[in-house]
Short mmCIF file of all heavy atoms in Angstrom, two decimals:
data_model
loop_
_atom_site.label_atom_id
_atom_site.label_comp_id
_atom_site.label_asym_id
_atom_site.label_seq_id
_atom_site.Cartn_x
_atom_site.Cartn_y
_atom_site.Cartn_z
N GLU A 25 80.38 104.58 140.36
CA GLU A 25 81.43 103.65 140.66
C GLU A 25 82.79 104.42 140.56
O GLU A 25 83.83 103.85 141.05
CB GLU A 25 81.44 102.51 139.78
CG GLU A 25 81.92 102.72 138.26
CD GLU A 25 80.87 103.28 137.38
OE1 GLU A 25 79.81 103.70 137.91
OE2 GLU A 25 81.11 103.24 136.19
N LYS A 26 82.80 105.62 140.07
CA LYS A 26 84.03 106.40 139.93
C LYS A 26 84.18 107.45 140.99
O LYS A 26 83.22 108.27 141.18
CB LYS A 26 84.10 107.02 138.55
CG LYS A 26 84.24 106.09 137.37
CD LYS A 26 84.40 106.90 136.10
CE LYS A 26 84.61 106.00 134.92
NZ LYS A 26 84.67 106.82 133.66
N PRO A 27 85.29 107.54 141.70
CA PRO A 27 85.50 108.64 142.65
C PRO A 27 85.58 109.88 141.98
O PRO A 27 86.07 110.03 140.91
CB PRO A 27 86.81 108.21 143.33
CG PRO A 27 87.58 107.28 142.41
CD PRO A 27 86.44 106.61 141.67
N MET A 28 85.04 110.96 142.71
CA MET A 28 84.95 112.31 142.09
C MET A 28 86.36 112.85 141.68
O MET A 28 86.50 113.59 140.76
CB MET A 28 84.37 113.20 143.19
CG MET A 28 84.35 114.69 142.87
SD MET A 28 83.36 115.02 141.37
CE MET A 28 83.67 116.79 141.14
N ILE A 29 87.40 112.46 142.42
CA ILE A 29 88.70 113.01 142.24
C ILE A 29 89.31 112.80 140.86
O ILE A 29 90.13 113.50 140.35
CB ILE A 29 89.72 112.49 143.32
CG1 ILE A 29 91.03 113.24 143.32
CG2 ILE A 29 89.95 110.98 143.11
CD1 ILE A 29 90.90 114.73 143.69
N ILE A 30 88.75 111.75 140.16
CA ILE A 30 89.20 111.51 138.79
C ILE A 30 89.10 112.77 137.92
O ILE A 30 89.94 113.08 137.11
CB ILE A 30 88.38 110.35 138.17
CG1 ILE A 30 88.77 109.02 138.81
CG2 ILE A 30 88.59 110.25 136.67
CD1 ILE A 30 87.98 107.85 138.33
N HIS A 31 87.94 113.51 138.04
CA HIS A 31 87.72 114.66 137.26
C HIS A 31 88.71 115.78 137.43
O HIS A 31 89.37 116.26 136.52
CB HIS A 31 86.29 115.15 137.46
CG HIS A 31 86.00 116.53 136.84
ND1 HIS A 31 86.09 116.70 135.48
CD2 HIS A 31 85.71 117.73 137.41
CE1 HIS A 31 85.76 117.97 135.16
NE2 HIS A 31 85.62 118.60 136.38
N PRO A 32 88.96 116.28 138.74
CA PRO A 32 89.97 117.35 138.85
C PRO A 32 91.38 116.91 138.43
O PRO A 32 92.15 117.73 138.05
CB PRO A 32 89.93 117.67 140.35
CG PRO A 32 89.05 116.65 141.00
CD PRO A 32 88.16 116.07 139.93
N ILE A 33 91.72 115.64 138.64
CA ILE A 33 93.03 115.22 138.21
C ILE A 33 93.11 115.28 136.73
O ILE A 33 94.15 115.69 136.14
CB ILE A 33 93.36 113.81 138.75
CG1 ILE A 33 93.53 113.84 140.27
CG2 ILE A 33 94.65 113.25 138.09
CD1 ILE A 33 93.82 112.52 140.89
N ASN A 34 92.08 114.86 136.04
CA ASN A 34 92.02 114.94 134.59
C ASN A 34 92.16 116.39 134.16
O ASN A 34 92.85 116.68 133.20
CB ASN A 34 90.72 114.28 134.07
CG ASN A 34 90.70 114.26 132.60
OD1 ASN A 34 89.88 114.88 131.90
ND2 ASN A 34 91.61 113.49 131.94
N VAL A 35 91.43 117.29 134.76
CA VAL A 35 91.51 118.74 134.44
C VAL A 35 92.96 119.24 134.57
O VAL A 35 93.46 119.93 133.67
CB VAL A 35 90.55 119.57 135.26
CG1 VAL A 35 90.78 121.02 135.13
CG2 VAL A 35 89.09 119.16 134.94
N ALA A 36 93.62 118.85 135.67
CA ALA A 36 94.97 119.32 135.87
C ALA A 36 95.87 118.70 134.83
O ALA A 36 96.78 119.38 134.30
CB ALA A 36 95.45 118.88 137.25
N ASN A 37 95.63 117.41 134.43
CA ASN A 37 96.50 116.82 133.39
C ASN A 37 96.33 117.52 132.05
O ASN A 37 97.27 117.77 131.28
CB ASN A 37 96.10 115.34 133.19
CG ASN A 37 96.57 114.54 134.33
OD1 ASN A 37 97.46 114.88 135.11
ND2 ASN A 37 96.04 113.34 134.49
N ILE A 38 95.11 118.03 131.74
CA ILE A 38 94.88 118.70 130.49
C ILE A 38 95.70 120.02 130.57
O ILE A 38 96.27 120.41 129.49
CB ILE A 38 93.41 119.01 130.33
CG1 ILE A 38 92.57 117.68 130.02
CG2 ILE A 38 93.10 119.99 129.14
CD1 ILE A 38 91.05 117.83 130.07
#
Side-chain angles (χ1 to χ4, degrees):
E25 74 279 12
K26 289 183 180 180
M28 174 63 184
I29 191 62
I30 289 176
H31 170 63
I33 291 178
N34 184 245
V35 170
N37 286 343
I38 290 170

